[in-house]
Amino acid sequence: MKTQRLGKKGWTPERIGSLKGKTYVITGANSGAGLEASRILLSKGAKVVMMNRNPNKSEAAIAVLKQSLGQDVDVSFIQIDLGVMASVRRAAEELLETTDSIDALICNGAIAQVPRQDMTVDGFESQLGVNHFGHFLLTGLLFDRIEASKGRIVMVGSNAYKMGQKRIKFEDLNFDHKYTAWDSYAQSKLAQVMFGYELQRRIEATGKQVEVHVCHPGASRTNLLMDTASTFNKIMWSIMSRIIAQSAERGAWPEVMCATEQGLPTMKLYGPTKRANTVGPVGENKLDDVALDKEMASQLWDLSLEKTSLEWGL
C-alpha cells in the first residue's frame, strides 16, 4: 500500500471507523507514542489494555485519558517488566484471565541508547532483553488468544535496524567484547523486525489467521531516550527533537494504522515517508534486505525459544 493510494496526507486516523467491541493491548503505553496510540483507539470506542512497567505512571496516564475522553472509556493496565521473563509470564497470565479477546497486540515498549552494558536478571543485554526477548515471549504466550480473534501483532521497530552492524551478533549477543550503546540498540531493533517477518512466514506456513505488521514511528518527540540514554545524548536529543522531530501523536500513527487498517499487505515496513523516513505522511517504506534474511531469522527464532524457555509450535 503506497502512500499515494492514501492521498497526499498518507494514512490518518480519519480512516478509522468505529472500534466498539474491539480490544487492543499496548506495551509501553503510559507516555509517548504508546499513550497517543491508546488515545486514538479509545476515541474510536475500543477497549485498551496498557502493559506498563510503572504503576504510578500508568495510573496518571489513565487519569489524563479519562479527563480528555470521558470517565467511561474502557482503559486499564497490567504491570509488566519486559526485561524480566518471570514478569512477562505473570503479566500474560493476568491478561489471559481478564481479557476474552485480543484484536491486536502492539509491541510498542522499548528502551534505547543505554550508555553502558546493563544486564537483565535473565542474563540478556538490556536493550535486547526488553525490546526483543520480552516481546518475543509475550507474543508467544498471547498468540492463541490473538489467533482466536483473527487478530494482529504489530512490531514497533526503528530505522536503527539497518544501522549498526546490520546483523545479529550470535557469537557475542550481549556485546561483552566491545559494547556500544548504538550497536546494541540497533541489534535489538533488527531482532524485533526480523522476528516480525519470521513470525508472519511461520503463520502463513501453518495457515493460521493472524496478521503481523512491522512499523516505526520515525523521529518523534517521546521520552524514549530520556529514560535510559547518556546525559549527553539526552541533551542533544532535547535540542534536536525541537528542530527535526514530529509530535508523539504523529509518531503513533504507523502503529495505529497497522492495528486497524483493513487490507494492509504484510511483509512490509510502514512509517513516515519524508526526510529519510523520519517525518511526513505515513505509508510504505523501502525495506533493507537484512530484515528479510531467512537464515538469520530462523537462527534467531530458535535462539529466542531457548533463551525464553518458550514452547511455541509454529
Side-chain angles (χ1 to χ4, degrees):
M1 185 184 69
K2 300 294 185 182
T3 308
Q4 289 82 345
R5 287 176 55 186
L6 299 172
K8 290 183 179 180
K9 289 184 178 180
W11 186 92
T12 73
E14 295 170 2
R15 294 177 62 88
I16 306 173
S18 172
L19 297 178
K20 193 170 179 62
K22 293 187 177 294
T23 300
Y24 296 88
V25 177
I26 311 178
T27 65
N30 60 23
S31 66
L35 177 62
E36 295 306 323
S38 299
R39 188 191 307 276
I40 295 167
L41 294 167
L42 289 166
S43 74
K44 302 294 183 176
K47 172 183 177 179
V48 171
V49 182
M50 300 172 159
M51 301 192 82
N52 302 327
R53 187 172 60 86
N54 190 311
N56 291 333
K57 289 182 179 179
S58 299
E59 289 170 359
I62 288 174
V64 167
L65 290 170
K66 288 189 171 184
Q67 185 175 20
S68 62
L69 298 173
Q71 293 298 314
D72 59 343
V73 292
D74 194 346
V75 56
S76 59
F77 84 94
I78 290 174
Q79 198 277 333
I80 189 172
D81 186 336
L82 287 163
V84 179
M85 297 302 104
S87 174
V88 175
R89 289 183 178 277
R90 283 195 301 269
E93 184 177 0
E94 182 179 343
L95 182 67
L96 292 172
E97 287 176 352
T98 56
T99 307
D100 294 332
S101 64
I102 301 173
D103 291 281
L105 167 64
I106 303 176
C107 297
N108 168 83
I111 59 173
Q113 303 295 328
V114 177
R116 288 171 296 279
Q117 186 194 49
D118 184 26
M119 304 297 288
T120 71
V121 296
D122 301 286
F124 310 137
E125 184 278 315
S126 60
Q127 292 168 109
L128 188 64
V130 169
N131 300 347
H132 172 61
F133 286 128
H135 280 126
F136 180 90
L137 178 58
L138 181 65
T139 303
L141 294 171
L142 300 181
F143 184 79
D144 288 348
R145 187 64 49 87
I146 297 167
E147 184 194 3
S149 306
K150 296 182 179 178
R152 300 184 184 194
I153 295 158
V154 180
M155 289 293 158
V156 183
S158 160
N159 269 330
Y161 84 92
K162 58 185 177 182
M163 302 172 192
Q165 298 191 11
K166 281 184 66 170
R167 68 184 183 94
I168 306 300
K169 207 174 177 190
F170 293 109
E171 78 283 5
D172 185 16
L173 206 61
N174 293 330
F175 287 86
D176 292 326
H177 177 61
K178 185 182 179 182
Y179 178 86
T180 73
W182 181 250
D183 284 349
S184 53
Y185 174 64
Q187 175 183 252
S188 77
K189 300 312 282 189
L190 175 59
Q192 238 188 321
V193 301
M194 290 186 98
F195 164 45
Y197 298 127
E198 178 67 8
L199 178 56
Q200 183 65 52
R201 283 191 289 266
R202 288 171 182 261
I203 287 169
E204 290 176 0
T206 53
K208 295 183 181 295
Q209 299 289 302
V210 177
E211 289 182 17
V212 184
H213 295 291
V214 181
C215 65
H216 71 94
S220 305
R221 290 187 288 274
T222 71
N223 292 330
L224 179 60
L225 291 183
M226 295 297 108
D227 290 336
T228 51
S230 67
T231 302
F232 175 77
N233 281 342
K234 287 177 183 177
I235 294 170
M236 287 298 295
W237 176 244
S238 67
I239 296 169
M240 293 298 292
S241 65
R242 297 172 194 168
I243 303 168
I244 65 168
Q246 59 190 2
S247 67
E249 180 190 2
R250 290 294 294 265
W253 287 9
E255 63 192 76
V256 177
M257 178 185 78
C258 287
T260 61
E261 180 72 16
Q262 296 302 309
L264 197 63
T266 58
M267 305 302 290
K268 305 291 185 182
L269 177 65
Y270 298 103
T273 55
K274 298 295 185 183
R275 210 188 302 159
N277 302 141
T278 57
V279 296
V282 175
E284 184 182 328
N285 291 178
K286 187 178 184 299
L287 188 58
D288 193 280
D289 291 343
V290 68
L292 300 175
D293 186 318
K294 293 181 182 179
E295 183 178 346
M296 197 185 304
S298 180
Q299 188 176 352
L300 176 65
W301 180 279
D302 291 341
L303 178 71
S304 300
L305 289 176
E306 176 191 335
K307 294 290 188 181
T308 60
S309 302
L310 177 66
E311 294 182 9
W312 192 357
L314 271 183

